[in-house]
Amino acid sequence: DTAVSQTPKYLVTQMGNDKSIKCEQNLGHDTMYWYKQDSKKFLKIMFSYNNKELIINETVPNRFSPKSPDKAHLNLHINSLELGDSAVYFCASSQARVHNSPLHFGNGTRLTVT
Amino acid sequence: SQQGEEDPQALSIQEGENATMNCSYKTSINNLQWYRQNSGRGLVHLILIRSNEREKHSGRLRVTLDTSKKSSSLLITASRAADTASYFCAPGSNYQLIWGAGTKLIIKP
């Protein structure tokens, strides 16, 4: 199936740990994103990559580091997890780097930090 | 804030009725997108309307855009139980989409 897939779906971990979330898209899109959705459902962009090049890097703690080994993959590594990192993280992709084409979202990774 | 702001925050209607959700924003835009999010799932794109368009239809969905008032509306006609979801507008500039917290729509059988 053509889709944006991210793993794991659920991630429960303790403060101070390091974790990674993986994302892959087989839509042939050049641009990929990481979004964070908080408990109030606000969706905030964290990073955007176009063809493996970082193009958006919002004000995100440097404990968060995206890595794009190729244009079909964008992984998110988080160091020294904090309670406030608990949220749902969504990966997305789009055909164009300019926001005039639809975004395709994965089903999210619910991160719970205890 | 530059984010899209949906109104109302929550809406509960009977199946078969029409549902209208509104979106306001503050910046100049190139387009505005509407998305649906079912519980526990990712967002699904519904409609993209460009800044030079005033109205767009897709099945039971009708989107309007008034750039002079910096507002948009999403109308879902003849609602169904499966339309129960959160709906987000995303005003778009060249650089990024700005998201609000969505309208939670509940369709009662």
Side-chain angles (χ1 to χ4, degrees), chain A residues 37 42 55 99 103 106-107, chain B residues 3 31 35 37 41-42 95 97:
Chain A
Q37 188 174 44
F42 279 105
I55 57 172
H99 281 74
L103 268 66
N107 281 326
Chain B
Q3 66 194 35
N31 63 72
Y35 288 78
Q37 184 179 30
R41 304 298 295 266
Y95 199 55
L97 297 174

Side-chain angles (χ1 to χ4, degrees), chain B residues 67-86:
Chain B
T67 53
S68 67
K69 295 182 180 179
K70 291 187 165 56
S71 67
S72 175
S73 68
L74 170 66
L75 168 67
I76 304 174
T77 60
S79 62
R80 305 169 182 169
D83 295 328
T84 293
S86 291

